[in-house]
Amino acid sequence: MAGKPKPMSQIKQMIILRQQGNGIKTIARMLDMSKNTVKSYLFKLDKLLENNRKTGLTTKKLLSMEDPEVEKLFLSGDPSYKDPRYEHFIANLPYYQKELKRKGVTKTLLWEEYRESYPEGYGRSQFCYHLGQQEVARAKPSMVLDHKPAEKLYIDFAGKPICYIDRETGEEIRCQLFVACLPYSDYAFAMAVPSQTIPDFLHVLGCCMEQLGGVPQLLVPDNLKAAVNKADKYEPGINRALEDFANHYGTAVVPARARKPQDKALVENQVKVLYSRVYAKLRNVQFFDIHSLNRAIAEKVKAHNQTRMQQKPYCREERFLADEKHLLGKLPGERFELRHYAELTVAKNNHVYLSRDKHYYSVPYSLIGQKVKVVYTRSMLYVFHKGERVAIHGRGFQQGPYSTLKEHLCSQHQHYRDRSPAYYRDKAAQYSNTFAKYIALIFKQDRYPEQLYRTCDGLLALARKVDEQRLDKACNIAMEYNQYSYGFIKNMLENNMTEATTEASGKELPKHGNVRGRTYYNEQR
């Protein structure tokens, strides 16, 4: 029985032929066995029946047993494990396992040392075989996970970079290949990005959602820095940017355990498959920008998803479209914008300074000296105080200037910023048309605007103190004499010259020939 064991079905045939009274030669001829093999099995049968007579084992019962049960009786144990060499090997096994963990130690090296200390021991192949069997026996069992459609999206980056060539310099630009898959259908997505930084990671993750046409319930990334701040087996610290992304898309993030790639084994397998279906097929093609590279990657991944899977009557794309796509969550109306956060103090000029932009943004003047929280995206900036949004600005990327909203300023500063000829004309029109006409004539003078603004401020202050009729009279007299100044109007009003002028103009001059009249003096002036 030193050869390969015979099938138990043949052993049962042998038992039946023996019951029928056939001899060893006849049985050997009918079953195409050697006489010694038949003799060995019949001897083994007799010994089994004799040793198990107390337990009630009979030939009839033996024939009714299943083949594995019969095999256990006839082939109980491997003789090699009763070999003294094996006992010596097992005694030294802890030492071998410990040494294999040391750098540079191989199974061949251990075998050479083993043969030096035990020359009659195993050969190299048997030694390595038994070491391998012990590793398999001590390995932890793997679990088959039951995946639900549209529940999870596994995320990973390939270990090998993928490259394109800079057309101008000829330099090879190395890119990272982002890989994701839905475990239920094994539907894959892949795209090259410049790096694994947070902006690139969230950009490619958004592109993946758009390609899928929906949002899964959970995102399962690796413990890369763009996704996890602090790796922990039970409570990993999710990057705030990824949390914002998940909130925007209405999903949750559950990172894989640190150094546990089996938590997302399907995407790890996708990476291995894409090495042959993307990397290998594009190895002889040159690309001169990342966009053309990604178009080629998309074509190869599409072909991969449409390839019929082994031992299954469908491809990944068919299963995804039939059972999964319609269960994905709805995409938001707008793409995600990466948010940044800062806590700043409002300066005396009621602005906050964002050092990243080197730009000033206004907030309500009532918050001067207080702390505010600033949230800014690529295009917008939001200011919050005690949970309430108090300001919104478009991002200003010019260094130094101010972005100021009028309503954030106090009344004095608003007045100062609003000054213009139109502003003063409108203010004067609230008192009288004559006053508005006088203000308009002031701005027709060839003088510096700041001086005219101050003149108008003084005139408006006078207008608030006198009645409309007196003001109009003073303005008419000033326009008559082409006097456009605050001091002229002020003197007339303080000295009641408007009334005196009216009374004097009412008296008639005596009639005589030496009268030159108003026209003459106007011409002289």
Side-chain angles (χ1 to χ4, degrees), residues 154-171:
Y154 287 161
I155 299 166
D156 198 9
F157 278 95
K160 297 179 181 179
I162 192 165
C163 306
Y164 69 91
I165 298 172
D166 189 316
R167 192 185 299 273
E168 296 182 357
T169 64
E171 180 186 2

Side-chain angles (χ1 to χ4, degrees), residues 195-250:
S195 67
Q196 294 187 24
T197 57
I198 293 174
D200 288 338
F201 173 64
L202 296 183
H203 167 72
V204 72
L205 193 53
C207 293
C208 177
M209 299 289 192
E210 292 182 0
Q211 173 68 27
L212 296 176
V215 183
Q217 298 175 19
L218 297 174
L219 302 178
V220 185
D222 207 343
N223 282 265
L224 69 161
K225 285 293 183 183
V228 177
N229 287 331
K230 180 183 178 182
D232 187 85
K233 182 178 180 180
Y234 302 105
E235 292 183 349
I238 309 299
N239 188 298
R240 185 167 185 177
L242 182 57
E243 286 183 337
D244 290 342
F245 178 92
N247 293 335
H248 180 78
Y249 280 91

Side-chain angles (χ1 to χ4, degrees), residues 11-253:
I11 303 302
K12 288 182 178 180
Q13 286 290 305
M14 185 188 302
I15 296 172
I16 292 172
L17 290 173
R18 186 187 183 187
Q19 283 182 331
Q20 293 174 355
N22 295 300
I24 293 176
K25 290 183 179 180
T26 304
I27 294 172
R29 185 177 68 253
M30 295 178 69
L31 297 180
D32 194 19
M33 294 183 186
S34 69
K35 292 184 290 184
N36 290 334
T37 300
V38 174
K39 187 183 295 185
S40 299
Y41 275 105
L42 292 178
F43 175 79
K44 185 80 171 179
L45 175 64
D46 293 337
K47 193 172 182 180
L48 280 172
L49 293 174
E50 183 178 352
N51 292 339
N52 293 278
R53 196 178 304 277
K54 295 180 180 180
T55 60
L57 180 65
T58 61
T59 304
K60 184 178 180 180
K61 187 175 181 180
L62 189 64
L63 291 172
S64 64
M65 296 170 66
E66 296 292 339
D67 287 0
E69 295 175 315
V70 178
E71 184 177 8
K72 180 181 179 181
L73 295 173
F74 277 88
L75 305 174
S76 57
D78 190 338
S80 64
Y81 293 115
K82 299 178 181 179
D83 194 317
R85 296 179 297 177
Y86 185 74
E87 295 177 359
H88 178 272
F89 172 83
I90 289 296
N92 292 277
L93 181 62
Y95 167 77
Y96 300 144
Q97 291 174 335
K98 179 182 177 181
E99 291 299 304
L100 278 174
K101 295 178 181 179
R102 299 178 65 178
K103 190 174 182 178
V105 178
T106 63
K107 292 180 181 179
T108 301
L109 177 63
L110 289 177
W111 172 75
E112 291 173 353
E113 296 175 353
Y114 164 75
R115 286 301 294 260
E116 288 178 3
S117 62
Y118 189 49
E120 62 273 18
Y122 288 125
R124 179 180 175 277
S125 60
Q126 279 291 94
F127 180 83
C128 294
Y129 170 78
H130 286 299
L131 268 182
Q133 287 293 98
Q134 293 299 323
E135 291 175 1
V136 172
R138 284 168 171 77
K140 293 182 179 180
S142 60
M143 179 180 179
V144 178
L145 299 176
D146 183 20
H147 298 292
K148 299 178 182 179
E151 182 184 26
K152 296 178 181 179
L153 179 70
Y154 287 161
I155 299 166
D156 198 9
F157 278 95
K160 297 179 181 179
I162 192 165
C163 306
Y164 69 91
I165 298 172
D166 189 316
R167 192 185 299 273
E168 296 182 357
T169 64
E171 180 186 2
E172 190 177 67
I173 308 298
R174 297 158 68 93
C175 298
Q176 302 294 320
L177 186 70
F178 171 88
V179 182
C181 80
L182 294 164
Y184 176 79
S185 61
D186 206 26
Y187 186 80
F189 171 85
M191 183 176 174
V193 287
S195 67
Q196 294 187 24
T197 57
I198 293 174
D200 288 338
F201 173 64
L202 296 183
H203 167 72
V204 72
L205 193 53
C207 293
C208 177
M209 299 289 192
E210 292 182 0
Q211 173 68 27
L212 296 176
V215 183
Q217 298 175 19
L218 297 174
L219 302 178
V220 185
D222 207 343
N223 282 265
L224 69 161
K225 285 293 183 183
V228 177
N229 287 331
K230 180 183 178 182
D232 187 85
K233 182 178 180 180
Y234 302 105
E235 292 183 349
I238 309 299
N239 188 298
R240 185 167 185 177
L242 182 57
E243 286 183 337
D244 290 342
F245 178 92
N247 293 335
H248 180 78
Y249 280 91
T251 184
V253 182

Side-chain angles (χ1 to χ4, degrees), residues 409-510:
L409 304 176
C410 63
S411 58
Q412 294 177 348
H413 294 170
Q414 287 186 28
H415 161 71
Y416 188 85
R417 285 175 56 88
D418 287 342
R419 293 184 304 171
S420 68
Y423 169 79
Y424 285 108
R425 284 195 298 266
D426 293 340
K427 282 286 185 181
Q430 297 176 7
Y431 294 93
S432 70
N433 293 332
T434 304
F435 188 36
K437 182 179 178 182
Y438 183 71
I439 294 293
L441 291 172
I442 287 177
F443 285 105
K444 290 184 179 181
Q445 299 179 92
D446 188 16
R447 294 175 62 189
Y448 190 68
E450 290 291 332
Q451 293 177 324
L452 299 177
Y453 291 162
R454 292 190 177 185
T455 298
C456 293
D457 287 335
L459 292 172
L460 288 172
L462 290 174
R464 288 191 289 269
K465 298 176 182 178
V466 300
D467 58 64
E468 182 180 335
Q469 292 182 354
R470 290 187 65 198
L471 180 63
D472 286 349
K473 289 178 182 180
C475 290
N476 286 326
I477 295 170
M479 288 187 288
E480 183 177 353
Y481 290 98
N482 292 328
Q483 295 295 323
Y484 301 105
S485 69
Y486 163 74
F488 186 83
I489 300 292
K490 180 181 178 184
N491 287 334
M492 292 187 65
L493 294 173
E494 287 182 350
N495 298 320
N496 293 320
M497 294 177 65
T498 55
E499 300 300 330
T501 304
T502 303
E503 293 175 3
S505 62
K507 297 180 180 180
E508 294 184 2
L509 292 174

Side-chain angles (χ1 to χ4, degrees), residues 337-344 346 350-364 372-384 389-397 403-405 408:
E337 280 194 289
L338 180 61
R339 287 174 171 79
H340 302 277
Y341 300 86
E343 188 171 359
L344 305 174
V346 182
N350 66 284
H351 286 71
V352 291
Y353 177 68
L354 188 62
S355 58
R356 184 167 185 167
D357 295 347
K358 295 185 178 178
H359 196 92
Y360 295 86
Y361 299 92
S362 68
V363 296
V372 292
K373 293 184 177 180
V374 176
V375 181
Y376 57 99
T377 65
R378 183 182 179 187
S379 58
M380 298 298 294
L381 179 139
Y382 307 91
V383 182
F384 295 86
R389 189 169 63 190
V390 294
I392 304 176
H393 293 276
R395 285 283 294 279
F397 296 100
S403 292
T404 306
L405 298 179
H408 292 163

